[in-house]
Structure formats: C-alpha cells, structure tokens
Amino acid sequence: MRGLECRIGRPVSVKRWTLLGLVLTSLGLARPTAAPAPSGPPHLILGTAWYPEQWPEERWDEDLRLMQAAGINVVRIGEFAWSRLEPEEGRYDLDWLARAVDKAAQYHIAVVLGTPTAAPPAWLTQKYPDTLRIDEHGRRAGHGGRQHFSFTSSRYRDFCRGIAEAMARRFGHHPNVLGWQIDNEYAEVSYDEDTRQKFQQWLQARYRTLGNLNQHWTTAYWSQTYFDWSQIPIPVGYQNPGLMLEWKHFISDTWRDYQRNQLEVIRAHADPRQFITTNMMGWFDGYDHYVVSADLTLASWDDYVGQGQLDPDRNGMTHDLTRGFKRQNFWVMETQPGNVNWAAVNTFLNRGTIRTMAWQAVGHGADAVSYWQWRSALNGQEQYHGTLLGADGTPVPVYFEVQQIGREFAQASEALAGTSPESPVALLHDYDSRWAIDWQRHNARYDQIQVFESYYRALRALTQAMDVVNPYAPLERYKLVVAPDLNLIPDDLARNLTAYVRAGGHLVLGPRSGMKDQYNALLPQRQPGLLADPLGGRVEQYYALDQDVPVSGNWGSGHASIWAEQLAARSPDVQVLLRYGASNGWLDYQPAVISRAYGKGRITYVGALLDDALMQAAARWMVAQAGLSPALGPVPPGVEVCRRVAPGASPGKPAKQVFILINHTAQPQHVSLPRAMRSVLTGHQAQSLDMPAYGVEVLVD
Ligand code: GAL
C-alpha cells in the first residue's frame, strides 16, 4: 500500500518523463503490438476524448502508443467531426474514421463513437439557415460556435439521421466499437416560429381542449385566457407558472425525440452489445434528465470542478444523481485532467486529486472515467483547457497521475466486475419541483442544490451510501426516503408516498413540500396537500427569513435560516421535535418539525432550513429511527467510504462486496477497519490503514 502511494508522493521531473518514454519504447510500446480486436470491454474503463481529425494520420500511432502506456483503454471520437465526415451534402467520408477505429484496436483501445450533431458544418447551415436556432431575443445563431441548430427542426433531424445512419451502418458491427454517444451535452433550445407551433401542437395533444388548459393554468388571471392554440407563446422571462412548466416538459420531450431520431437508426444497424448514451451535465436543469435517459442504455455525465478544488460531497452527490437517472452504473464521459478553461479562475486540481476524483467516481458507480481531452487542438476556442499531452505532443505532469489510475483500474477491474453501489436511503429529486421553486424562490438565497446537499452531507456521513432517485421510482427497498424539496406532489404521487409509509417506510419531507399539483398550480389544500392527513399536521404559514430564527427541541438547539414554516400538529399522536424560539411573533414557540407514526411506518415534516449541527442531529435521528448503520464503520472526517456489491442469492447477502476508501484531505489519516481486509491494489491484508494525503484504498474481505 505504502509503496504504491509513494509513487505519487515524489516530484516527477522532466528528465524522468523522458526516461519513462525510453523505458516504454524499450518495452515495445513504440509500435502497435499485433493485437486482435478487444474481445470485450474491461470492467473498469479509463478513457480520453481524442480528435484524430485534428491531426495528421502519421501522428496517430504516437498518440495511441502514449494512451496505451497510460492504461487508457477507450477513446471517444467523432463527436465534433461532422465537416470531415460529410464534407458536402450527402457525401459521407467515413474511411478516415474507420482507419482511426482500426488503429485504436491495434493498441487495445476500444472506441465510443460520438455522433457529430452538436456542430453542424458550414455548408449545411449556409444552405438551410432554417436549421439554425433562434434565441429568446429573436437572434439567429451563426457558424463558428457549436449547438447552433434548432432542436425541433425536421430538416436538421433528417441530416442528423443521415450521418448517424451512415456511421451506424459502417460501425454498428465493428468489434472495436463499444458504444455510442448521441450528440453532446444537449442544452440550447430555440424560440423560432416552427418551435412555437410545435409547442402549441404538443399542448393540444396534452390538454385536448383549451378550456382544460385555461382552467389548469388559471388564465382568468390577468386576462390570460386563450381562445385559440395559436395564441399561446413560448415563455420568455417570468410568465404564468403553468405555461413555464409545460415549456420545460415540451423541451424534455423534444430532446428525447431529437435523441430518438438518431437512437433508432443506430439501434437498427448496431449490435445490441453496443451501448447508446449521451453526456449529461450533473445538476443542469435545462430538461428533465429522467425523461431523456429513458431510452438510453446507460447514463453518462461530464464531471468538471471548474474553479477551486474538489468538493467531495457535492461531487459524490452528483454521481449519485447520475446513477439515479437509470438506477444503474454510469460513465463519467468527460472529466478535467487538471483544469478547465471556462471558469473565472481555472484552478488546477491539487496533485493526487485527479486520482481521488477518479476513484470517487468508481465508488459511486462509474464504470468508466474519461478525460477531456487528450491534446488541445492547436487552434480553436479551448486552447487553455487541461490535457494529457502538451502542444508539443509529449506528456504533461498530470499524464503520470492518470497512468497510475490506469494501473490501478487494471488491478481492480476484476474485483469490481458486476458490482454497483447500494443504499437503504433515497433522496428524492424532481425537476418539476426544482423549476417551480427556482422560478419563485421567494427568498433569493433559497438554493435548492444547497438544501439538497445539507441533507445529503449529514446522511451520507452516517450511512456511507445514498441513492438519489426520482419520486416515482420504486421505493419499497428503502428504509428511509427523504424529499428535501418536493414542491409538487400531485395526487398519484401522494398516494404512492402514503403507501410507502403505510408499508413501513420512513418519509421525511423538507420545507415547501406538497404545495402544488402537476400543473404548477397551488393545491386547494394546505401543505403538504394530501399528505397532511397521514402526517396529522400541516403548514399554517411560510416565512422568508432575512434573519436567523432560534429553534430547539429533541434534536438540540440552533437556528433556522432563509426559510421557516409554522407547522401545526392536528392529531394528538403527532410529536413536535423542534420548535421555534422568539422571532417574528408569528413563529414564536410554534412547531418547526413534526413527526407521526402512520401505518407500519412514519412521516416527518421538517419546516425549516436548519444549521449544520441540527442537520447532523436530524440525520442521526432519522438513521436511528430507520435502524441503519454505516456501510463499513466509523472513519475520520475527510475519509470517504464507498461500497459496491454484486447481488447474491438472497437480499442482504451480496455475492461480493468491494470497499473504496478515499482520503480527500491533504493530511495522512489512520483508519481502523471492522475486520482484516485485503487491499486489491497492494495485496496486503490489514485491520487498519495508514492512508497518506489523498490516499486511496480498494478493499475486499
Ligand atoms: C464539455 C464539452 C466538451 C468540452 C469541455 C470543456 O462541456 O462537452 O466538448 O468543451 O466541456 O470543459
């Protein structure tokens, strides 16, 4: 264990890189080893984004040789290469791509093919300007950037289908192609007239009659009543909340449909073993990721820290969010090798934390970690972004940290095969509620991701495993379900949640819960709507706070900030767990948290945003109520435990389990283990670990 850690503890001099290059050359890595195409993907993948179209072909061998020497076994290619793949309308040139795919195979490097539709070529947009998107101010996008197409344009989709089909016909059975990424980071929508008409048609299919729409949006307000579908606008700025929510639903369905256009044609020509994904962006809320993930084989995301250093909880939570999109393992399709180029300060990640970040991804269920990018294009907008090679084509220092990751992934690949994270606790995450609250924060400081994170941090420290899922996901397997921000609770969801509690689950609702229906209209009941009955209590009034309010009770004393709801216990068996102290008169000594046993389970309502110490006490209480214990056992602060299990014959008895321990601090840490365990990375067996700064361990029983 120590020996391995030492390697990153020492400075690597330029001379030593040169030396390493010589050693690798002498090991025969300078030329491709005569290799058959990979028989199957490794269980843990290390990848990079490679742009062979930007370089002379004579350079490819050297790139692939250096990749192989770093332990990279997958490249993602093609996703911005449309102008090379279809240099003129209808003339496809895939030969160079085929040569790149074949060449990669010679170095045992498999390929994920990106469809290039995020960057249409100039001939296309010049000849068909109607395919260009229009922004909310009515300006048409031009050539020179990317994502300048309109996501609803039928003509654009025909071109997308054409190039995707040409690629799928050529590579759908290629043994070295592992899977597909459709487009790249869906984000930009269009406000053109065609989109507006499609939105109106979409609304018509959903609501059937204008009377129905007018009623659910309460358009009697401000004379908003629609007499004809053609009168309905695309919302720009703050508009009717019903209209705004449906616009987001339309966007989500449109991206799904945009994606399906390519997905269907790829599936029609590709081996079923080839996966299909798209790269998403963590907490980005431009569309509902559960909707867009539905047709994909696996979810993937682009994990960028941007400015500063890794925040392990925030990043771990985002992995868990992504794992929840399809409730299965996922890929980190892009991550920064050191720095990005788009933050205010493009800080370089501390030495050692490229590795902790990679292992954290795996710990949270990533089966692949891929670096963006291999080498900067000599020109183009991203010249300053982090890379593994310098402009001179030789490794930069971070290459060697990635090489260490490559070695370790290879060592741990077999142990991690078939394993996934598993948790008895779910946090519920819902786009409709996020949008609804964000459009009317009522307190500018109400940041839902921070609220979500306050629950996540406190609970994960105790459980060492968390799921983040959509509220409509099956919940039976969870002992504890926490909904920090479930603003929209339509009747069907209220019934599901009540059934969960009745069957023995513990449901914890955060502030602003159960205020609205699926049309973003206020419920004609007090919060939390239909759940007020099982709760035996309700929200009397909510208050945006500009000053902290004292709270105390069973969880100790502290304060609420930003938001406080005055609760009422209406049933005699309701426990009041926290009360407000003296503040604005209205809140004084009123219940802030109430809880009630219901059916075989329990429902708890937390009406305020609590300080960290109170959140920790709340989490201890929730965990004790649900009878939960940590996945491994207590570890020092700053050390993260992740557990991946392979399902066994009976529930609770996994066929195998692997623990990944990460020291996210710059200090050494001593960790006592509950029993002697074996390190997959060193082979050593021990009952305690001395982890160096930014140390990582992978342990099995
Ligand atoms: C991603 C994008 C990549 C690259 C990267 C830079 O959002 O998918 O193509 O631009 O950012 O950080």
Side-chain angles (χ1 to χ4, degrees):
M1 188 182 331
R2 283 267 169 74
L4 194 62
E5 297 293 349
C6 277
R7 282 202 281 270
I8 56 163
R10 263 198 326 246
V12 181
S13 70
V14 177
K15 268 199 198 126
R16 283 188 48 230
W17 309 334
T18 323
L19 199 65
L20 187 85
L22 290 173
V23 171
L24 292 173
T25 312
S26 67
L27 286 175
L29 292 173
R31 259 168 272 111
T33 46
S39 53
H43 305 297
L44 262 191
I45 284 166
L46 186 68
T48 190
W50 182 44
Y51 298 94
E53 69 275 20
Q54 296 168 4
W55 303 98
E57 282 194 40
E58 307 82 79
R59 170 69 203 187
W60 292 357
D61 275 295
E62 177 64 356
D63 279 330
L64 291 160
R65 179 188 75 77
L66 284 165
M67 285 179 205
Q68 189 183 29
I72 286 170
N73 41 33
V74 166
V75 281
R76 185 197 61 185
I77 58 181
E79 87 279 9
F80 293 114
W82 201 343
S83 57
R84 280 288 304 273
L85 293 168
E86 191 180 354
E88 58 186 76
E89 185 172 346
R91 183 168 73 78
Y92 299 114
D93 176 7
L94 306 184
D95 292 347
W96 67 269
L97 188 59
R99 289 195 296 278
V101 172
D102 291 341
K103 177 72 64 189
Q106 291 174 20
Y107 290 85
H108 301 267
I109 294 173
V111 170
V112 173
L113 280 179
T115 68
T117 52
W123 59 256
L124 194 164
T125 53
Q126 183 185 42
K127 186 164 173 199
Y128 306 104
D130 56 299
T131 61
L132 288 164
R133 71 182 182 85
I134 307 266
D135 72 13
E136 64 267 55
H137 309 294
R139 289 178 306 222
R140 191 178 288 277
H143 198 75
R146 54 181 169 177
Q147 301 187 328
H148 40 296
F149 61 89
S150 166
F151 73 150
T152 60
S153 162
S154 315
R155 195 197 303 277
Y156 190 66
R157 288 192 188 184
D158 289 345
F159 281 106
C160 293
R161 203 175 170 85
I163 184 69
E165 181 168 15
M167 290 173 77
R169 279 182 188 278
R170 181 80 179 251
F171 299 104
H173 304 289
H174 197 296
N176 199 38
V177 173
L178 208 55
W180 298 80
Q181 173 189 300
I182 295 181
D183 207 273
N184 192 80
E185 294 188 344
Y186 310 138
E188 299 293 349
V189 303
S190 185
Y191 294 77
D192 58 275
E193 187 48 36
D194 182 38
T195 302
R196 179 170 131 125
Q197 282 172 21
K198 285 182 170 134
F199 178 44
Q200 291 160 347
Q201 286 154 14
W202 181 93
L203 286 168
Q204 195 165 357
R206 193 171 177 88
Y207 285 85
R208 306 275 167 212
T209 68
L210 274 173
N212 189 28
L213 179 146
N214 281 320
Q215 183 214 326
H216 285 300
W217 295 4
T218 322
T219 52
Y221 173 84
W222 283 0
S223 196
Q224 287 171 0
T225 308
Y226 297 108
F227 301 92
D228 193 277
W229 296 98
S230 64
Q231 294 159 351
I232 302 173
I234 293 178
V236 174
Y238 181 43
Q239 290 254 359
N240 180 303
L243 169 67
M244 289 176 80
L245 185 61
E246 295 299 19
W247 171 238
K248 284 291 189 190
H249 289 159
F250 169 78
I251 291 173
S252 305
D253 280 0
T254 304
W255 278 124
R256 182 178 182 183
D257 202 48
Y258 172 87
Q259 175 176 268
R260 198 186 276 147
N261 175 53
Q262 298 185 42
L263 190 138
E264 280 176 359
V265 84
I266 295 171
R267 281 231 166 101
H269 295 290
D271 288 342
R273 68 173 174 82
Q274 292 184 343
F275 68 76
I276 304 180
T277 189
T278 192
N279 51 341
M280 296 178 161
M281 291 182 279
W283 295 94
F284 171 71
D285 71 348
Y287 58 85
D288 185 322
H289 290 49
Y290 299 103
V291 170
V292 173
S293 301
D295 303 319
L296 298 171
T297 327
L298 59 86
S300 68
W301 80 290
D302 297 344
D303 184 5
Y304 290 102
V305 172
Q307 183 168 343
Q309 297 295 322
L310 182 74
D311 175 337
D313 278 318
R314 173 65 70 108
N315 204 57
M317 176 171 88
T318 316
H319 286 312
D320 293 345
L321 170 80
T322 308
R323 194 177 72 251
F325 292 152
K326 293 200 69 74
R327 301 199 302 280
Q328 64 185 39
N329 286 5
F330 61 95
W331 277 39
V332 171
M333 191 58 90
E334 297 180 11
T335 189
Q336 67 194 67
N339 66 291
V340 300
N341 68 321
W342 42 257
V345 180
N346 296 301
T347 335
F348 210 96
L349 295 178
N350 287 340
R351 183 173 199 170
T353 64
I354 317 289
R355 174 171 171 250
T356 51
M357 224 178 133
W359 276 109
Q360 186 192 40
V362 175
H364 285 258
D367 286 335
V369 174
S370 186
Y371 290 92
W372 199 94
Q373 60 171 326
W374 176 243
R375 182 180 177 184
S376 282
L378 294 179
N379 220 322
Q381 280 92 322
E382 294 174 302
Q383 291 168 311
Y384 275 81
H385 200 283
T387 53
L388 297 175
L389 298 192
D392 67 343
T394 69
V396 293
V398 89
Y399 171 95
F400 297 98
E401 192 166 323
V402 171
Q403 187 173 52
Q404 180 182 2
I405 299 166
R407 269 195 306 271
E408 293 175 347
F409 274 18
Q411 285 170 308
S413 183
E414 206 45 53
L416 284 157
T419 64
S420 305
E422 189 184 83
S423 174
V425 187
L427 285 186
L428 301 187
H429 169 254
D430 173 48
Y431 288 94
D432 288 5
S433 293
R434 266 179 70 192
W435 290 320
I437 293 180
D438 273 346
W439 292 324
Q440 299 183 74
R441 288 186 174 210
H442 208 62
N443 183 333
R445 287 160 57 220
Y446 202 105
D447 178 334
Q448 292 180 82
I449 312 297
Q450 269 174 24
V451 174
F452 207 82
E453 197 176 349
S454 70
Y455 281 86
Y456 182 93
R457 273 182 203 277
L459 283 164
R460 196 182 192 285
L462 301 176
T463 59
Q464 299 172 341
M466 296 288 284
D467 278 357
V468 177
V469 297
N470 178 267
Y472 287 91
L475 300 178
E476 316 81 63
R477 50 183 295 255
Y478 297 111
K479 295 203 169 132
L480 175 63
V481 167
V482 181
D485 267 325
L486 209 49
N487 195 229
L488 268 62
I489 306 190
D491 291 0
D492 58 343
L493 181 56
R495 280 193 294 276
N496 289 356
L497 295 173
T498 307
Y500 165 74
V501 174
R502 205 177 278 128
H506 184 184
L507 173 69
V508 177
L509 298 168
R512 308 180 80 148
S513 290
M515 188 185 193
K516 292 179 156 185
D517 68 9
Q518 66 269 41
Y519 303 101
N520 208 3
L522 293 171
L523 286 170
Q525 301 107 9
R526 292 287 182 82
Q527 288 171 252
L530 288 186
L531 292 172
D533 190 36
L535 176 65
R538 68 178 200 178
V539 176
E540 292 298 322
Q541 183 58 276
Y542 51 83
Y543 304 92
L545 304 178
D546 61 357
Q547 282 176 9
D548 291 354
V549 170
V551 278
S552 60
N554 293 29
W555 297 345
S557 302
H559 63 265
S561 54
I562 301 173
W563 196 265
E565 289 170 358
Q566 173 191 347
L567 307 184
R570 294 164 72 87
S571 171
D573 54 345
V574 171
Q575 271 175 282
V576 177
L577 297 175
L578 283 184
R579 281 183 191 275
Y580 300 102
S583 62
N584 64 358
W586 305 107
L587 283 167
D588 299 6
Y589 315 111
Q590 298 300 309
V593 178
I594 58 177
S595 182
R596 183 188 187 209
Y598 181 78
K600 294 185 189 149
R602 171 169 290 278
I603 175 164
T604 299
Y605 193 102
V606 181
L609 300 186
L610 304 173
D611 65 57
D612 288 350
L614 275 177
M615 267 318 295
Q616 284 159 15
R620 282 195 295 275
W621 178 84
M622 290 177 214
V623 161
Q625 282 287 326
L628 302 174
S629 46
L632 181 80
V635 289
V639 174
E640 180 178 4
V641 174
C642 303
R643 174 175 173 256
R644 285 178 53 152
V645 299
S650 55
K653 289 221 164 22
K656 66 173 168 180
Q657 57 179 346
V658 183
F659 291 93
I660 295 171
L661 273 66
I662 305 157
N663 178 8
H664 287 292
T665 73
Q667 287 76 43
Q669 303 273 4
H670 181 78
V671 180
S672 305
L673 301 173
R675 54 193 177 272
M677 299 177 97
R678 186 174 63 80
S679 162
V680 173
L681 302 183
T682 64
H684 295 167
Q685 179 102 4
Q687 191 151 5
S688 70
L689 300 173
D690 283 309
M691 300 187 76
Y694 303 130
V696 171
E697 261 310 342
V698 182
L699 303 173
V700 291
D701 283 307

